[in-house]
Amino acid sequence: MATHRSDQAGFTAQERAAMTERATELRTAAARRGKNTKAEDEKGVLEKIAELEASDRLIAERFHEIVRTAAPHLDPKLWYGMPAYAVHGKVVCFFQGAKKFTTRYSTVGFTDAAQLDDGAMWPTAFAVTELTPAVEERLGELVRRAAG
């Protein structure tokens, strides 16, 4: 993750904001334990996507649709303030807008819960600057594989 650091030993403002968002997400989840929250979680993801800048928002909206089609069993949730998709509570993939950490491109990432293993080395994050039909097809394949 490329970020602008004024102090190499500390966290950037964007990193601190992401940690604060994650702490809020965990408190909210704890308060809702035992309640059906899938609809609320998806609403939160869609609200977060709506807050993104136009270029990020277009990619995030389409990625959300790709995930819901390719792996409908994945549950949308917020993860460090980013739209993410989980199975049994474990995040499998996520969308990181370019503005999140002041990078030049959006990223679709996969966690270690994703089933993308391919030999001794494989990519877990992909820069996305636009969604062409080929990119959408590739993302759908990756999500299907990752979700198992």
Side-chain angles (χ1 to χ4, degrees):
M1 238 180 287
T3 58
H4 296 88
R5 291 183 186 275
S6 58
D7 174 12
Q8 290 296 321
F11 294 106
T12 66
Q14 295 95 341
E15 290 167 334
R16 285 191 301 277
M19 289 184 287
T20 299
E21 286 179 297
R22 183 65 182 140
T24 300
E25 293 160 9
L26 291 171
R27 281 192 300 276
T28 300
R32 297 186 328 199
R33 285 231 198 289
K35 299 175 185 169
N36 184 0
T37 62
K38 289 183 182 187
E40 289 179 38
D41 288 342
E42 182 154 21
K43 180 182 175 198
V45 165
L46 294 173
E47 288 172 353
K48 185 58 76 171
I49 289 171
E51 293 172 6
L52 296 171
E53 291 193 16
S55 59
D56 286 342
R57 186 174 54 250
L58 291 173
I59 296 171
E61 286 171 343
R62 186 64 190 121
F63 182 65
H64 180 77
E65 293 171 15
I66 290 167
V67 172
R68 303 308 285 148
T69 300
H73 63 285
L74 292 182
D75 297 321
K77 66 183 282 180
L78 291 175
W79 187 60
Y80 293 94
M82 298 179 285
Y85 305 86
V87 63
H88 304 299
K90 294 192 84 165
V91 170
V92 173
C93 58
F94 60 92
F95 175 82
Q96 178 182 301
K99 302 301 177 200
K100 182 75 174 173
F101 294 107
T102 319
T103 58
R104 63 184 180 91
Y105 48 78
S106 299
T107 304
V108 169
F110 297 88
T111 68
D112 63 331
Q115 298 178 24
L116 294 176
D117 303 35
D118 185 18
M121 185 174 91
W122 57 90
T124 59
F126 297 84
V128 180
T129 58
E130 69 175 301
L131 286 176
T132 65
V135 170
E136 289 186 11
E137 183 178 327
R138 180 72 173 126
L139 286 173
E141 290 169 9
L142 286 166
V143 168
R144 273 190 291 283
R145 246 181 86 201

